[in-house]
Amino acid sequence: MKASNFFVSTYKEAPADAEVVSHQLMMRAGLIRKVSAGIYNYMPMGLRVLHKVEAIVREEMNRAHAVEMSMPVIQPGELWQETGRFEKMGAELLRVKDRHERDFVIQPTSEEVVTDVARNELRSYKQLPVNFYQIQTKFRDERRPRFGLMRGREFIMKDAYSFDKDPAAAQISYQTMRQAYREIFDRFGLKYRAVAADSGAIGGDLSEEFQVIAATGEDAIIYCPESDYAANIEKAEALAPTEPRPAAAAALTKTPTPGKSTCADVAELLAIPLQNTVKSLVLATELLDDAGEPAGVQIWLLLLRGDHDMNEVKVSKIEGLNAGFRFASEAEILEHFGAKPGYLGPVGLLKPVKIIADRDVAVLSDWVCGANEVDFHYTGVNWGRDLPEPDLVADLRNVVAGDRSPDGKGVLAIERGIEVGHIFYLGTKYSKAMNATFLDVNGKPAFFEMGCYGIGVSRLPAAAVEQNHDERGIIWPDAIAPFTLVICPIAMDRSEAVQAAAERLHAQLLAAGVDVILDDRGGRPGAMFADWELIGVPHRVVISERNLNEGQLEYQHRRQTESQKVALDHVDAFLREQGVY
Amino acid sequence: MKASNFFVSTYKEAPADAEVVSHQLMMRAGLIRKVSAGIYNYMPMGLRVLHKVEAIVREEMNRAHAVEMSMPVIQPGELWQETGRFEKMGAELLRVKDRHERDFVIQPTSEEVVTDVARNELRSYKQLPVNFYQIQTKFRDERRPRFGLMRGREFIMKDAYSFDKDPAAAQISYQTMRQAYREIFDRFGLKYRAVAADSGAIGGDLSEEFQVIAATGEDAIIYCPESDYAANIEKAEALAPTEPRPAAAAALTKTPTPGKSTCADVAELLAIPLQNTVKSLVLATELLDDAGEPAGVQIWLLLLRGDHDMNEVKVSKIEGLNAGFRFASEAEILEHFGAKPGYLGPVGLLKPVKIIADRDVAVLSDWVCGANEVDFHYTGVNWGRDLPEPDLVADLRNVVAGDRSPDGKGVLAIERGIEVGHIFYLGTKYSKAMNATFLDVNGKPAFFEMGCYGIGVSRLPAAAVEQNHDERGIIWPDAIAPFTLVICPIAMDRSEAVQAAAERLHAQLLAAGVDVILDDRGGRPGAMFADWELIGVPHRVVISERNLNEGQLEYQHRRQTESQKVALDHVDAFLREQGVY
């Protein structure tokens, strides 16, 4: 490709609304252009990256025997009503009525349509397993689109859906995809982690996220440097302490803590470690009688160490809380505790509540908590002596760096990541909702066991840029670079030798299948180099008359700060060594 | 590819709503599945065809130095308001409001967005020419979607937009695209014609349609078998007759024609050739005074031969009619003619009207027309004697087969076609509406000269099927076949020799880059052959134990009715001869 036949458009400044580095650099490098909030043009330079991402995804999906098809962007509302998602998805789902006032949605994913395909096309267990995938435009009407392609509204996703005859077969399909995802992410040339994720309402352990490591990532990734344990923060288990609870040493004392309503303030006032304080979170669940009618409210007190944060996913799985909970109202709190939030605790309640202690709280002795009286806390609180043992001890919190790894192989570390893939065992959630069955080996109708597997095709380049950039611009991995190598001729318009050498190398690399661009725009060297460094092409060859006279050209990798001279008759071998071929 | 790793789904019957053969066969062959009216899943078999079409289009567009980008499916209404198309496009344009009640449209094309790109990105004439293209999902909310992919609502289009510094440069961009389109359509392997088309309100002659020839096509294509003249019916000129008007021979006679209000009926009653009758079409235009206020109505009488049809596009270009016309109301007709339609004519008007005679009417003598009295016609009418010469003589009609070719090289023929491409010189229509300028060579802002160039990517396979099918199913040209060659092993599960030979040939063809599928589903020969004939794979190799014992296999092209034996050691050379490699 010659730059004069392509479209290169770089800017010195990023627009004011570009908050993160990937957004800034992708705008400056001319990869994307904003059309509306969260809606972008993929400019020629950016589209090349997307096509490379797509090609890798497609190859590996095909290799894993997934079958590509394409489902419509505009999908009938009726299918979405069958699963209830037409209403449930809320404002994120863009709905539209056609000229006949029929409901349609702009697809955010395609579970409904693909399940409809399955129930029409897959009639016998003999046709299973099948894994359909598509690479298609999606739309989610985010309340606050931002960060460029990172959280856009219109985006491109690869979504795959597996159909199996039973859970064991579905496991195999899931594992096949898991392996394919590893191949795909390995090929992208990015540092990533596959982390265990919570599988939500479905249950089971079959859900993993593929996170591209980046300091700016939105997600906290928990991993063990000494093993291959990795999970997202929702999922990572905080193990029970191994040390037993120490014996009580201090007396229960009501201590004035005027105006100190947080654990941190109390710890500071009393000059004690934050880990000795306990915070009280009060939840409420609605009780139903045998007829399913409302029958009052159950109040729950969750106790966590002052230095720990509640993990909502873990809490939402506890029996009694797993059908949905809310934070208690101030009236409910006053009724049970006689005090307002900030000074609550489990000692001296007005009315009984269910008490759940985090594992780390259950082994504390001589701890500090609110005294259920404004401006007072108890110190020297002890289980069994000052209050009964908790109704339940459970893992209620997010892990923190330094916690023991759940696999027992070291301590946990935390880094940040950007989610670009998610694989998920769905079970029969959608097949039951849509009555999608096949005839099993006994000739009886059975619901499909499903899995779904997504890759954020248009988010991936943004994640790649977050991970790979410097003050000069983007640094693409070879596999997804818009061009693998750029030839920068110096003053080509004034030197036939330079032009001939540049054209020859260009033709030679093209013939060898290298994705090369020759910058024949005739710009000055400084501006030319700055453009390609901003754009992030990994390999650069500079051809100048002076070097040619010495029988050389200059090569520089985008990660290097200095160029090196390469003898002309060694160029081919040299570029092979650099992995250009 | 092995069929067991792919998805083959054929049906014996087409659904009842499939009216045309391409829709029927594409449904039966499992290429598409309906999701909603005019909205389809591209199933794995169909998507392969689309991908091949896309690849050919992309290669040739790139070769012509068009630059690929991708514009969003969901586009902001504001841009569409700038050109007025937000309102003008009517119900075909699917409009949607986002969660913040902002207007968006689902793109039917992308003139507005690409012109916005140009005005932001192309600042100097030095950056021109540029031709941006995309291959993207489009939506048009057709009132009556039908014929499968032929007239769908969601479809895939390649749309390109050229930007030039002046009309001469735009001509060159247009001609480059014209040539690229010829390369593209040649590569598809379909019989097609590039036909001159009317360029509508823009004027000029730069518009051509690419029509795939098919007896079932919606469009009439005019061509000259003795030359390369071709045009659509809107555009094709009906030349003026070369013979002069004969002298008047008959007397003007008012003749009773009770109940005969059509030319055909009158000709039959009077036993005269239809060509001697003249029909009267009465149009009206609104007159404006100097201040632009309504100032009455002008009535026009158009005269065409009874065997000819009016061409609305030609009429709409006549001075006085080119700002818009309507058919006259019955009241207006009565006021000017004193009679109701069916018995109108230019002789004996109550009030003057402007008379435009078609070229073929202007040379008639002794003709027949309505007498402006119910149940009466005049015979023996003659220009100059019975009425003044017409105010204007013009080409008002559609050409018919046998007319002289406008290039003077023979007579015209008519065939049917399906429009799958259209190239168009736009001039400054969009750039002016959106104030899209660049700095010209003098540093002054100038409007871009634009062209647009479309290919109906998802309609093309349907057109290909309309052109290429038989009673057994589809017959794909090699270039866009879902698979080039199918290997059908007979009783592979019972013969290791058959299995080994099939696997060997499959591996060998794959390695050579042939798009081959091995049907390892284990079906019976009859069903297996019927499937692949329905699907339309052009080359078939059958491997059976009996043939192997004779050192042979069987080959059959989809267009052949008999297979031929090929010696195993000759297979490679044979398949090369068939164009498989």
Side-chain angles (χ1 to χ4, degrees):
Chain A
M1 178 72 77
K2 294 186 179 180
S4 59
N5 294 331
F6 193 63
F7 185 74
V8 182
S9 176
T10 58
Y11 286 88
K12 285 228 183 307
E13 304 289 337
D17 69 344
E19 299 168 49
V20 298
V21 70
S22 60
H23 189 188
Q24 291 161 0
L25 290 176
M26 293 181 82
M27 292 293 294
R28 287 187 53 210
L31 299 169
I32 56 173
R33 289 290 178 253
K34 184 173 167 178
V35 179
S36 184
I39 301 179
Y40 292 85
N41 286 319
Y42 304 119
M43 297 298 287
M45 196 69 79
L47 189 62
R48 291 182 72 89
V49 177
L50 283 186
H51 280 173
K52 291 200 180 176
V53 172
E54 287 180 9
I56 290 172
V57 169
R58 184 170 281 129
E59 265 183 50
E60 297 300 331
M61 291 299 291
N62 292 348
R63 202 191 305 276
H65 297 157
V67 187
E68 188 173 3
M69 62 175 291
S70 184
M71 289 173 269
V73 174
I74 315 291
Q75 303 185 343
E78 301 122 56
L79 288 178
W80 284 72
Q81 260 138 5
E82 286 190 50
T83 61
R85 290 213 297 172
F86 189 82
E87 275 81 29
K88 247 185 278 176
M89 270 203 68
E92 262 197 22
L93 183 66
L94 193 61
R95 298 166 184 83
V96 54
K97 282 183 191 292
D98 75 357
R99 67 192 296 158
H100 303 299
E101 292 293 310
R102 286 197 208 95
D103 284 317
F104 286 83
V105 309
I106 319 293
Q107 67 156 346
T109 59
S110 282
E111 279 84 356
E112 283 78 3
V113 171
V114 80
T115 305
D116 183 54
V117 168
R119 71 182 168 185
N120 292 326
E121 296 287 330
L122 304 173
R123 287 166 294 263
S124 158
Y125 73 97
K126 290 182 198 160
Q127 292 173 278
L128 305 179
V130 171
N131 187 339
F132 289 117
Y133 79 97
Q134 65 175 347
I135 300 177
Q136 246 297 31
T137 300
K138 305 283 189 299
F139 199 93
R140 284 186 198 164
D141 200 1
E142 297 269 354
R143 176 185 296 277
R144 217 189 127 207
R146 62 208 153 123
F147 306 155
L149 298 193
M150 200 81 85
R151 191 162 293 283
R153 295 200 285 176
E154 184 168 321
F155 57 98
I156 300 172
M157 192 165 110
K158 185 284 297 175
D159 41 331
Y161 306 89
S162 63
F163 295 87
D164 276 287
K165 66 180 196 301
D166 56 38
Q171 275 264 8
I172 295 171
S173 291
Y174 178 90
Q175 295 300 339
T176 302
M177 276 299 103
R178 186 171 185 268
Q179 187 53 36
Y181 270 50
R182 290 180 176 275
E183 308 280 353
I184 290 167
F185 283 89
D186 284 346
R187 284 185 62 185
F188 287 150
L190 300 173
K191 291 190 286 290
Y192 74 95
R193 276 185 201 282
V195 307
D198 186 75
S199 49
I202 314 286
D205 279 329
L206 288 175
S207 176
E208 272 158 290
E209 293 167 357
F210 288 76
Q211 296 266 0
V212 168
I213 307 304
T216 50
E218 278 189 307
D219 297 340
I221 302 172
I222 314 304
Y223 70 103
C224 175
E226 289 93 50
S227 74
D228 59 3
Y229 178 83
N232 68 12
I233 196 146
E234 293 176 345
K235 172 82 177 173
E237 185 183 0
L239 293 183
T242 49
E243 301 293 306
R245 184 193 298 163
L252 181 72
T253 310
K254 195 196 244 180
T255 306
T257 50
K260 308 296 183 189
S261 64
T262 70
C263 286
D265 288 347
V266 170
E268 195 188 352
L269 176 74
L270 305 180
I272 55 165
L274 188 56
Q275 297 95 294
N276 282 20
T277 65
V278 167
K279 61 179 145 193
S280 298
L281 300 168
V282 188
L283 305 182
T285 53
E286 316 296 331
L287 298 174
L288 300 178
D289 65 14
D290 292 343
E293 297 297 314
V297 168
Q298 172 69 51
I299 300 296
W300 304 69
L301 174 60
L302 271 53
L303 299 174
L304 284 102
R305 248 170 46 183
D307 60 331
H308 286 155
D309 290 325
M310 182 176 99
N311 182 310
E312 210 172 305
V313 169
K314 292 176 180 176
V315 169
S316 69
K317 291 190 169 176
I318 290 171
E319 207 187 321
L321 294 169
N322 54 2
F325 61 83
R326 59 175 171 82
F327 283 97
S329 68
E330 207 162 302
E332 288 165 339
I333 290 175
L334 268 174
E335 181 188 346
H336 290 79
F337 293 83
K340 67 172 193 178
Y343 300 93
L344 304 182
V347 178
L349 298 170
L350 297 184
K351 281 189 171 183
V353 303
K354 286 213 176 176
I355 296 181
I356 310 180
D358 181 66
R359 288 165 170 174
D360 284 284
V361 171
V363 299
L364 285 182
S365 54
D366 301 336
W367 37 288
V368 174
C369 65
N372 293 324
E373 188 178 333
V374 170
D375 292 345
F376 285 92
H377 278 76
Y378 280 122
T379 62
V381 186
N382 280 283
W383 292 109
R385 186 191 74 184
D386 308 321
L387 76 168
E389 293 291 337
D391 296 304
L392 181 70
V393 176
D395 175 16
L396 302 179
R397 68 171 175 94
N398 288 336
V399 296
V400 293
D403 278 345
R404 283 179 302 123
S405 176
D407 65 359
K409 292 185 180 162
V411 294
L412 295 176
I414 298 186
E415 61 189 351
R416 310 297 301 179
I418 299 163
E419 185 191 338
V420 286
H422 200 154
I423 58 176
F424 214 104
Y425 168 57
L426 289 172
T428 55
K429 178 175 173 175
Y430 288 91
S431 56
K432 275 189 177 150
M434 295 182 67
N435 196 28
T437 61
F438 61 96
L439 295 182
D440 69 12
V441 66
N442 301 314
K444 295 241 170 74
F447 293 112
F448 294 104
E449 287 283 335
M450 291 173 58
C452 71
Y453 316 93
I455 290 180
V457 168
S458 53
R459 181 189 266 189
L460 188 107
V465 174
E466 289 291 336
Q467 184 179 92
N468 298 282
H469 65 271
D470 61 15
E471 68 294 343
R472 291 178 288 156
I474 302 169
I475 309 172
W476 291 107
D478 284 24
I480 58 174
F483 293 96
T484 308
L485 184 145
V486 58
I487 301 172
C488 295
I490 308 295
M492 181 164 120
D493 51 335
R494 293 198 303 274
S495 165
E496 276 180 31
V498 168
Q499 179 169 355
E503 302 259 9
R504 196 164 49 236
L505 181 61
H506 178 246
Q508 176 191 326
L509 291 173
L510 270 188
V514 177
D515 206 0
V516 59
I517 185 161
L518 166 59
D519 191 344
D520 59 348
R521 295 176 298 161
R524 296 196 308 165
M528 178 162 53
F529 295 168
D531 266 2
W532 296 109
E533 288 179 342
L534 174 58
I535 292 163
V537 172
H539 305 273
R540 184 180 79 195
V541 166
V542 177
I543 297 180
S544 68
E545 198 158 75
R546 200 174 57 181
N547 282 325
L548 285 181
N549 290 340
E550 295 165 3
Q552 294 178 327
L553 47 71
E554 275 180 71
Y555 168 86
Q556 187 173 330
H557 190 275
R558 178 63 183 78
R559 290 198 180 277
Q560 298 168 335
T561 50
E562 302 267 324
S563 67
Q564 55 190 306
K565 308 237 168 148
V566 183
L568 286 174
D569 55 8
H570 188 51
V571 166
D572 194 62
F574 176 85
L575 291 179
R576 275 180 206 280
E577 279 163 31
Q578 309 306 314
V580 168
Y581 290 72
Chain B
M1 177 72 78
K2 294 188 179 176
S4 59
N5 294 331
F6 193 63
F7 184 74
V8 182
S9 177
T10 57
Y11 285 86
K12 284 227 184 309
E13 302 290 336
D17 69 346
E19 299 168 49
V20 298
V21 70
S22 61
H23 188 189
Q24 291 161 0
L25 289 177
M26 293 181 82
M27 292 293 295
R28 287 186 53 207
L31 299 169
I32 55 172
R33 289 289 178 255
K34 184 173 169 178
V35 179
S36 185
I39 301 178
Y40 291 85
N41 287 318
Y42 304 119
M43 297 298 286
M45 196 69 78
L47 189 62
R48 292 182 72 90
V49 177
L50 282 186
H51 280 174
K52 291 199 179 178
V53 172
E54 287 179 9
I56 289 172
V57 170
R58 182 170 281 129
E59 266 183 48
E60 297 301 331
M61 290 301 289
N62 292 348
R63 200 190 307 275
H65 297 158
V67 187
E68 188 173 3
M69 61 175 293
S70 184
M71 289 173 269
V73 174
I74 315 291
Q75 304 186 342
E78 300 123 55
L79 288 178
W80 283 72
Q81 260 137 8
E82 287 190 50
T83 60
R85 289 212 297 173
F86 190 82
E87 276 80 30
K88 247 185 279 175
M89 269 202 69
E92 260 195 24
L93 183 66
L94 193 61
R95 299 166 184 84
V96 55
K97 282 182 191 292
D98 76 356
R99 67 193 295 158
H100 303 298
E101 292 293 311
R102 285 197 209 95
D103 284 318
F104 286 83
V105 309
I106 318 294
Q107 67 156 345
T109 59
S110 280
E111 279 84 356
E112 283 77 2
V113 170
V114 80
T115 304
D116 184 54
V117 168
R119 70 181 170 187
N120 292 326
E121 297 287 329
L122 303 173
R123 286 166 296 263
S124 158
Y125 72 97
K126 290 180 198 160
Q127 291 173 278
L128 305 178
V130 171
N131 186 339
F132 289 118
Y133 79 96
Q134 64 175 348
I135 300 176
Q136 248 294 34
T137 300
K138 304 283 187 300
F139 198 93
R140 284 187 199 164
D141 201 1
E142 297 268 355
R143 177 185 296 278
R144 218 189 126 205
R146 63 210 153 122
F147 305 156
L149 299 193
M150 199 81 86
R151 191 162 292 283
R153 294 201 285 176
E154 184 169 321
F155 57 98
I156 300 172
M157 191 165 111
K158 187 283 297 175
D159 40 332
Y161 307 89
S162 63
F163 295 88
D164 276 288
K165 67 180 195 300
D166 56 36
Q171 274 263 8
I172 295 171
S173 291
Y174 178 91
Q175 295 300 338
T176 302
M177 276 299 102
R178 185 171 186 268
Q179 187 53 35
Y181 270 50
R182 289 181 176 275
E183 307 283 351
I184 289 168
F185 284 90
D186 283 347
R187 284 185 61 184
F188 287 149
L190 299 173
K191 290 190 286 290
Y192 73 96
R193 276 185 202 279
V195 307
D198 186 74
S199 49
I202 313 285
D205 278 332
L206 288 175
S207 176
E208 273 156 290
E209 292 168 356
F210 288 75
Q211 295 266 1
V212 168
I213 308 304
T216 52
E218 278 189 307
D219 297 339
I221 302 172
I222 314 305
Y223 70 103
C224 174
E226 289 92 50
S227 74
D228 58 4
Y229 177 83
N232 68 14
I233 197 146
E234 294 176 344
K235 173 80 178 173
E237 185 183 359
L239 294 183
T242 50
E243 300 292 309
R245 185 193 295 163
L252 180 72
T253 312
K254 195 195 245 181
T255 307
T257 51
K260 308 297 181 188
S261 62
T262 69
C263 286
D265 287 349
V266 170
E268 194 189 351
L269 176 73
L270 305 179
I272 56 167
L274 187 55
Q275 297 95 292
N276 281 21
T277 66
V278 169
K279 62 178 145 192
S280 298
L281 300 168
V282 188
L283 305 182
T285 54
E286 315 296 331
L287 298 174
L288 299 179
D289 65 17
D290 292 345
E293 296 299 312
V297 169
Q298 171 69 52
I299 300 296
W300 305 69
L301 173 60
L302 271 51
L303 299 174
L304 285 101
R305 245 171 47 186
D307 59 332
H308 286 155
D309 290 323
M310 181 176 99
N311 181 311
E312 210 172 306
V313 169
K314 292 176 181 176
V315 169
S316 68
K317 290 190 169 177
I318 290 172
E319 207 187 317
L321 294 169
N322 55 1
F325 63 82
R326 57 176 173 80
F327 282 97
S329 68
E330 207 162 302
E332 288 164 339
I333 291 175
L334 269 174
E335 181 188 346
H336 290 78
F337 294 81
K340 66 173 193 179
Y343 300 92
L344 304 182
V347 178
L349 299 171
L350 298 184
K351 281 187 171 186
V353 302
K354 287 211 178 180
I355 296 181
I356 311 180
D358 182 64
R359 289 166 171 174
D360 284 283
V361 171
V363 298
L364 284 182
S365 55
D366 300 336
W367 37 287
V368 174
C369 63
N372 293 323
E373 187 178 334
V374 172
D375 293 345
F376 284 92
H377 279 75
Y378 281 123
T379 60
V381 185
N382 281 281
W383 292 108
R385 186 190 73 182
D386 307 322
L387 76 168
E389 293 292 335
D391 296 303
L392 181 71
V393 175
D395 176 13
L396 303 178
R397 69 170 174 94
N398 289 335
V399 297
V400 294
D403 278 344
R404 282 179 303 123
S405 176
D407 66 358
K409 293 183 178 162
V411 295
L412 295 176
I414 298 186
E415 63 190 349
R416 310 297 301 180
I418 300 163
E419 185 192 338
V420 286
H422 200 156
I423 60 178
F424 213 106
Y425 168 57
L426 289 172
T428 55
K429 176 175 175 176
Y430 288 90
S431 56
K432 275 189 177 151
M434 295 182 68
N435 196 28
T437 62
F438 61 97
L439 295 182
D440 68 12
V441 68
N442 302 313
K444 296 239 169 75
F447 293 112
F448 293 103
E449 287 284 334
M450 292 173 56
C452 72
Y453 315 94
I455 290 180
V457 168
S458 52
R459 181 189 268 190
L460 188 106
V465 174
E466 289 290 336
Q467 185 179 91
N468 298 282
H469 65 268
D470 62 14
E471 69 295 344
R472 291 177 287 156
I474 302 169
I475 308 172
W476 291 107
D478 285 24
I480 57 174
F483 294 96
T484 308
L485 183 146
V486 57
I487 302 172
C488 296
I490 307 298
M492 180 165 119
D493 53 333
R494 293 199 303 276
S495 163
E496 277 180 32
V498 167
Q499 179 167 355
E503 302 259 8
R504 196 165 49 237
L505 181 61
H506 178 246
Q508 174 192 326
L509 291 173
L510 271 188
V514 177
D515 206 0
V516 58
I517 187 162
L518 166 58
D519 191 343
D520 60 347
R521 295 176 298 161
R524 295 196 307 165
M528 179 161 54
F529 295 167
D531 266 1
W532 297 108
E533 288 179 341
L534 174 58
I535 292 163
V537 172
H539 304 273
R540 184 179 80 195
V541 167
V542 177
I543 298 180
S544 68
E545 199 157 75
R546 200 176 54 182
N547 282 326
L548 285 181
N549 289 341
E550 295 165 3
Q552 293 178 326
L553 48 70
E554 274 180 73
Y555 168 87
Q556 186 173 332
H557 190 277
R558 178 64 182 78
R559 291 199 180 275
Q560 298 168 333
T561 48
E562 302 267 325
S563 67
Q564 55 190 306
K565 308 239 168 149
V566 182
L568 286 175
D569 55 9
H570 187 52
V571 167
D572 194 62
F574 177 84
L575 291 180
R576 274 179 207 280
E577 279 163 31
Q578 310 306 314
V580 168
Y581 289 72

